[in-house]
Amino acid sequence: MDEDVLGVDVGGTAIKTWWHGGAGPTVPTPKGDPTGERTADLLAGLAAGFPGVAAIGVATPGIVDDEAGVTRMSVNLGWQEVPVRDLLESRTGVPVALTHDVRAGAVAERLTGAGAGRPGALVFAPVGTGLALAVVDADARPIGTGWAGEVGQLRFGPGPHRGLRVEEVASAGGLALRYGAPEAAPVLAAMQAGDAVAAERWRETVDALAEVLAWTIALIAPGTVAVGGGLARAGDALLDPLRAALAERLAGFPEPVVVPAAHGTAAAAIGAAHLADVRRRSR
Amino acid sequence: MDEDVLGVDVGGTAIKTWWHGGAGPTVPTPKGDPTGERTADLLAGLAAGFPGVAAIGVATPGIVDDEAGVTRMSVNLGWQEVPVRDLLESRTGVPVALTHDVRAGAVAERLTGAGAGRPGALVFAPVGTGLALAVVDADARPIGTGWAGEVGQLRFGPGPHRGLRVEEVASAGGLALRYGAPEAAPVLAAMQAGDAVAAERWRETVDALAEVLAWTIALIAPGTVAVGGGLARAGDALLDPLRAALAERLAGFPEPVVVPAAHGTAAAAIGAAHLADVRRRSR
């Protein structure tokens, strides 16, 4: 990747930047900006602070139409149909790439993170407040757009969780809520202290994640599954039972390596920078 | 698509061809051909019968490495690591594209079948003796290679079917076997005559198919799901409850249209011809 591309991750509370292979400034996200104009002004100002920016990659949460360069809907940002690419290209004069923050994270994990040096496609599973997945092919091209990867919004079919949204079980936020804790870490601590209810909730979360990932692996046959987000901080307490549950489901299938994501909260800004580079070269 | 590309679908018992927009000859598949050399000889002979063949597309069952042009493993053909592309290019001197028969079918359904004129990606679900899926993007490019789409080989997790392979429930062959019939049609007839056991087996099959498809839709966000294979001959007796089960799972999601596949058993040969055209243009 060339060094003169700026990566930007527009989150609900903060905007993170990536420049010249390292983290740039983090600034608060403008509040009450339904048109996205103020956010675009801010991003243009940030870009002006980096000498020689040749392209900008932007990642946002929500439903993002990568081809059109439009964030169709984002609850976190209060956006509907915000044409991020046009707003920012008109202000800066440089090519802008827009994508979903999880897809951007997958690109980063594929190229320079958990997937670096491994063959094949990569699935990025940030298990946090909610759950969305992203898939990139062996060349780090994102697969799907719009609603693609919003598996957390799916509802469980017949079984113990019937009717629940998937992320109500298969996320750190869902785990905490079902146990009655403010976040997932105390549930892990309680389980490790011998609390049987915590252990049961933990097992349900791991099983639900294995369910999501098993179908994804069977459809895509990736080489790597990179698990990130808050729940990944549990390390082997999450990954060991997850790998065991996957092995049961995937018997006979070539199993991907299931590893922690490498880029942490910088993943989306890093991946956005990569995609900006791709977009610039294609023009 | 140009007219001078030959599509070939190499099945376990017959080889089907597609030429100039219509079905060409069907010939028996050579038996006992572990190296694939005799099949390649036969295909080269078939190609010589079509004046001016500029490229050949070949679809096979099994685990197919599209990029390498190698059928890694096919139980139906008795093949392991057969370099189909090289075998046929060396005999014919024209560019050869190799892909999986279900991926080829998805290409055909996207371009000229159930997906024609509809936006977005397409999922092709031929529900026959077994079950595999294929996904193509809005431009009819297949997503994934190798084991990708072999969802029928996955094993169910916790629930009534735990440990069963998915296609033991979610296929025409699985339905027949579980009911104790030689094929799926008598199960449908029994259900329509009021047989409660047949109705229960049918419902289980539909639910399992909905399970497979719901996860696939959440991951890919396709515009179209084309259902083919033997079970699709049941028409609305399959599609109506399938759509209802999907609607329950996808509440809030943009739902794709779920329609019968259009190309029947010609799909793989048609799609192979399309891919041959793409390969020729890329050289």
Side-chain angles (χ1 to χ4, degrees), chain A residues 6-250:
Chain A
L6 174 65
V8 182
D9 172 17
V10 181
T13 56
I15 294 174
K16 301 191 191 83
T17 57
W18 189 262
W19 174 252
H20 277 213
T26 295
V27 299
T29 305
K31 295 291 170 203
D33 180 30
T35 64
E37 301 257 355
R38 289 175 47 214
T39 301
D41 289 341
L42 175 61
L43 296 183
L46 275 169
F50 296 105
V53 167
I56 306 172
V58 180
T60 80
I63 305 304
V64 180
D65 184 334
D66 298 26
E67 279 98 48
V70 175
T71 298
R72 298 286 179 205
M73 187 263 283
S74 169
V75 173
N76 288 344
L77 299 175
W79 285 3
Q80 292 233 11
E81 301 293 334
V82 170
V84 177
R85 188 171 67 205
D86 287 351
L87 288 176
L88 197 52
E89 285 189 346
S90 66
R91 282 163 172 79
T92 61
V94 302
V96 172
L98 175 72
T99 193
H100 187 256
D101 53 6
V102 180
R103 281 196 285 282
V107 170
E109 292 294 340
R110 178 74 199 84
L111 290 173
T112 58
R118 299 186 202 273
L122 176 138
V123 174
F124 178 42
V127 189
T129 311
L131 179 71
L133 298 184
V135 182
V136 291
D137 71 13
D139 300 316
R141 283 184 295 251
I143 290 172
T145 183
W147 282 80
E150 295 290 341
V151 295
Q153 307 305 315
L154 195 68
R155 286 175 195 278
F156 284 105
H161 308 308
R162 183 169 196 155
L164 291 184
R165 286 186 306 116
V166 166
E167 69 184 13
E168 292 183 72
V169 183
S171 73
L175 171 66
L177 206 62
R178 282 160 57 81
Y179 181 74
E183 52 184 33
V187 189
L188 176 61
M191 176 180 77
Q192 290 173 334
D195 179 332
V197 175
E200 177 63 10
R201 292 291 95 77
W202 189 269
R203 189 190 59 71
E204 288 171 349
T205 294
V206 169
D207 278 354
L209 276 172
E211 179 88 15
V212 177
L213 290 174
W215 292 107
T216 302
I217 292 164
L219 192 69
I220 302 294
T224 307
V225 175
V227 182
L231 206 64
R233 285 199 290 268
D236 288 344
L238 173 67
L239 292 183
D240 284 348
L242 182 60
R243 290 183 186 118
L246 282 173
E248 182 192 329
R249 307 286 308 275
L250 294 169

